[in-house]
Amino acid sequence: MGKSILDYETLELSESERALVIIDQTKLPGKTEILHLKTQKEIWTAIHELQVRGAPAIGDAAAIGAYLAALEINTEDGTEFQKRFFEATAYLDSSRPTAVNLSWALRRMEGVAHEALARGTSVREVVELLRCEALRIKAEDIHICERIGAYGLELVKPGDGLLTHCNAGQLATAKYGTATAPMYLGHERGYRFKVFADETRPLLQGARLTAYELCSAGIDVTLICDNMASSVMKNGWVQAVFVGCDRVAGNGDAANKIGTSGVAILAKYYSIPFYVCAPTSTIDFDMPTGADIPIEERAAEEITEMWYKERMAPKGVKTYNPAFDVTDHTLVTGFVTEYGVARPPYETSLKEIRKKMRESA
Ligand code: MRU
C-alpha cells in the first residue's frame, strides 16, 4: 500500500542538513511536497504563509527554528550569544500573531538559554540544551494530543455525528491533532463516527487538510461548505462539535479559525455540545478576556481571487479578512485539555488545570 499523508511527519528536525523539514500544506491535497528550510527567513516565511500551520505545529516549528538559529551564532561569548539568540526568537515570534503557542515555545527556548548561561554553561552546551528542548516540545505535543484524544472520547458515543471546523488535525500538530484526536482514537476502537468537516473559507483548511487526513485514515467524513453547518445540525446529524484553538483567555473566551464562533452559536441554538480542544500551551493566563487577543488580518486576495479560475469580486471592492474569531466562553461546553475537561466557570476550572499542569511538571 502507498504512503498515506498520515505516515509523514508534519515537521521534523534534520540534524544532518541543519534544516526544519515540513510538508508544504499550501500544496495539499494535490501535491505532497517536502520542504527543507535552512534559513531563518525561510522558516519565518513558511509560518507566515501557512506552509506549516496550526497552533501546536507552529510552536514546534518555531522551537526547531530557534535551535537552528542558535547553531548559526558564531561566538563563545555567553552575553553576545544570548543577545543574538533573543533577536532570532523575536524575529520568529513576529511571523504570526494569534496562536500563543508560537511565543510560548519561543519563551521556553529563551528560558533554557538564559538559565543555562546564568549558571555559567558554555555556549556549545547551551546549543545542545536548546536542541533537546526543541525535540522535547515536539514530543510533548504528541503525548498531549493522545491525552486530549482519550479525554475527548469520553464525551461521545459510538455512531455519533461530529462536526469540526478548520484543521485541528495531525497536520496542525506533531501527530493525531487536537480536535481530531478523539476521532482517530474512536476509529481505532470501532466507534464508527460520522464526521462533518466545514470547508473553512477562505483558505479551505477543512476541505484541503481535514477531509484529506480523515479520508486517508478511513474515517467516514462528509465535507460541507461553512454555510451548511446549520442544516446538518437541524437534521439531527451532529451530536457534538470539536474544534481546536489558537489562544484561550483566562475567562474561557477562545480564539480559533474564522467562523468558529458562528459554529458555536449554531451549536448552542441546536443544543449540541461545543468542545474546544486546548493543550495547556494554548491557554494564555496573562489575558483575562478574549477582547485583547490579537487577530491576524490577511490579504484581500484570499477572498477575491484565491482558488477561483478568475477573480470573483469587483476590482477595488473593500474587503475584511480576519483569520480568526473569538468564541465567547458562554458558548463553550468544555475545554478538552491534556489534564482533563474544564467546565464552566472557566476562571476556576482553567486555574485547576494549570494547577494539575504545575504539579505534574
Ligand atoms: O490559520 P491556521 O490554519 O493556522 O489556523 C489553524 C486553526 O485555527 C486551528 O484550529 C488551531 O490552530 C488549532 S490546531 C490544533
Side-chain angles (χ1 to χ4, degrees), residues 50 53-56 96 166-168 172 178 205 244-246 256-257 324:
L50 278 60
R53 46 144 302 281
R96 291 192 80 186
C166 192
N167 174 263
T178 58
Q205 289 94 330
C245 60
D246 288 79
N256 190 48
K257 180 51 54 193
F324 299 94

Side-chain angles (χ1 to χ4, degrees), residues 209-280:
L209 307 175
T210 304
Y212 184 42
E213 272 195 47
L214 298 180
C215 277
S216 306
I219 292 176
D220 178 338
V221 55
T222 304
L223 176 64
I224 57 171
C225 298
D226 299 330
N227 53 8
M228 298 168 188
S230 177
S231 283
V232 297
M233 288 181 179
K234 190 173 184 181
N235 290 346
W237 296 344
V238 179
Q239 279 66 53
V241 176
F242 284 100
V243 294
C245 60
D246 288 79
R247 193 186 296 241
V248 181
N251 70 342
D253 291 346
N256 190 48
K257 180 51 54 193
I258 191 70
T260 303
S261 66
V263 177
I265 291 165
L266 291 175
K268 180 107 179 169
Y269 181 82
Y270 291 110
S271 303
I272 296 167
F274 181 90
Y275 297 110
V276 176
C277 296
T280 47

Side-chain angles (χ1 to χ4, degrees), residues 66 85 136-137 142 152 188 213 248 290 324 354:
F85 182 64
R136 195 173 300 123
I137 286 172
I142 298 172
E188 248 173 59
E213 272 195 47
V248 181
F324 299 94
R354 177 167 61 173

Side-chain angles (χ1 to χ4, degrees), residues 136-307:
R136 195 173 300 123
I137 286 172
K138 183 184 163 187
E140 283 175 14
D141 178 14
I142 298 172
H143 177 66
I144 287 167
C145 289
E146 280 181 311
R147 300 301 311 143
I148 287 176
Y151 285 118
L153 195 62
E154 289 173 9
L155 303 169
V156 287
K157 51 183 195 329
D160 274 355
L162 310 177
L163 185 136
T164 190
H165 188 76
C166 192
N167 174 263
Q170 167 144 323
L171 289 161
T173 64
K175 216 170 172 51
Y176 309 118
T178 58
T180 55
M183 299 170 191
Y184 287 127
L185 188 61
H187 183 61
E188 248 173 59
R189 297 189 183 167
Y191 270 51
R192 296 182 175 278
F193 292 132
K194 291 178 172 32
V195 179
F196 292 90
D198 285 352
E199 69 171 353
T200 317
R201 280 278 295 156
L203 293 184
L204 308 185
Q205 289 94 330
R208 295 187 304 106
L209 307 175
T210 304
Y212 184 42
E213 272 195 47
L214 298 180
C215 277
S216 306
I219 292 176
D220 178 338
V221 55
T222 304
L223 176 64
I224 57 171
C225 298
D226 299 330
N227 53 8
M228 298 168 188
S230 177
S231 283
V232 297
M233 288 181 179
K234 190 173 184 181
N235 290 346
W237 296 344
V238 179
Q239 279 66 53
V241 176
F242 284 100
V243 294
C245 60
D246 288 79
R247 193 186 296 241
V248 181
N251 70 342
D253 291 346
N256 190 48
K257 180 51 54 193
I258 191 70
T260 303
S261 66
V263 177
I265 291 165
L266 291 175
K268 180 107 179 169
Y269 181 82
Y270 291 110
S271 303
I272 296 167
F274 181 90
Y275 297 110
V276 176
C277 296
T280 47
S281 54
T282 313
I283 307 171
D284 186 351
F285 286 99
D286 293 333
M287 208 155 265
T289 76
D292 294 323
I293 298 178
I295 299 294
E296 177 181 11
E297 273 192 52
R298 297 188 62 90
E301 293 70 33
E302 290 181 354
I303 307 181
T304 54
E305 44 210 284
M306 204 166 174
W307 317 116

